[in-house]
Amino acid sequence: MKRATPDHPPEVQLFTDGACSGNPGPGGWAFILRHLRSGKELERSGAEASTTNNRMELMGVIQGLEALKRPTVVEIISDSTYVLKGISEWLPKWKANGWRRRERDRWAEVKNEDLWRRLDQLLAKHQVHVTHIMGHAGHPENERCDQLAVAAYRRLTD
């Protein structure tokens, strides 16, 4: 994964979140993509009828990166330790081990491998770094993404 550097600061910030009612259950994802120079923002959200919270967290990032039209320096800002550690620590190991992970003394499948592979292809196109924020702690963009994700899955259940 290419990284953003001090010489190449982020061009965009990608705020993401996922939400699920039950795990599994109906779930939603959302992102806010902010172009730093212009201040323009793009918000999107979506939902699935039966999914997990981790899958929705991944979809927020995937959908946000897929919205970019060209290679971009991106700061991904999320409250999901699962996604951020996956990007920065686990993904390179999984790939080196044939998309397997160690589970105690044996090899196990990578959970959500389909989405991790999709995300891996997107990460290769961009210079990315990740920033962890606390969820439900008043961070405006994180709170907005949570609202969008919850509203998306509620449209499926109402």
Side-chain angles (χ1 to χ4, degrees):
M1 170 178 55
K2 299 176 213 157
R3 295 238 177 239
T5 65
D7 293 337
H8 300 284
E11 294 177 37
V12 299
Q13 291 176 315
L14 175 59
F15 302 92
T16 69
D17 202 16
C20 214
S21 179
N23 204 18
W29 55 265
F31 71 81
I32 300 170
L33 193 59
R34 178 182 296 146
H35 187 264
L36 294 175
R37 273 188 236 120
S38 70
K40 290 184 180 179
E41 291 186 355
L42 174 66
E43 289 184 348
R44 287 196 183 144
S45 61
E48 294 181 18
S50 181
T51 190
T52 66
N53 191 67
N54 283 343
R55 288 186 70 80
M56 292 297 90
E57 294 283 2
L58 283 164
M59 282 302 292
V61 177
I62 289 167
Q63 293 290 333
L65 292 175
E66 285 181 345
L68 296 169
K69 304 292 186 221
R70 62 178 178 80
T72 305
V73 182
V74 182
E75 179 184 17
I76 298 172
I77 302 163
S78 175
D79 63 5
S80 174
T81 302
Y82 173 70
V83 170
L84 299 182
K85 279 194 173 194
I87 290 170
S88 60
E89 297 175 28
W90 305 333
L91 192 56
K93 294 176 191 173
W94 293 336
K95 289 170 57 177
N97 292 320
W99 289 95
R100 299 176 302 166
R101 62 184 175 85
R102 294 296 294 171
E103 189 174 274
R104 296 183 193 91
D105 59 346
R106 64 179 182 86
W107 289 107
E109 68 181 27
V110 171
K111 293 178 181 172
N112 303 311
E113 181 181 338
D114 60 327
L115 296 182
W116 283 112
R117 284 181 180 264
R118 191 168 156 191
L119 180 55
D120 183 48
Q121 291 176 338
L122 292 164
L123 293 171
K125 296 178 183 178
H126 304 287
Q127 292 182 20
V128 173
H129 75 271
V130 299
T131 301
H132 182 260
I133 56 172
M134 296 302 297
H136 308 287
H139 187 282
E141 292 85 358
N142 181 255
E143 296 292 337
R144 177 67 180 148
C145 284
D146 182 64
Q147 291 169 352
L148 290 168
V150 170
Y153 80 68
R154 283 191 176 152
R155 284 192 292 275
L156 294 176
T157 60
D158 289 344

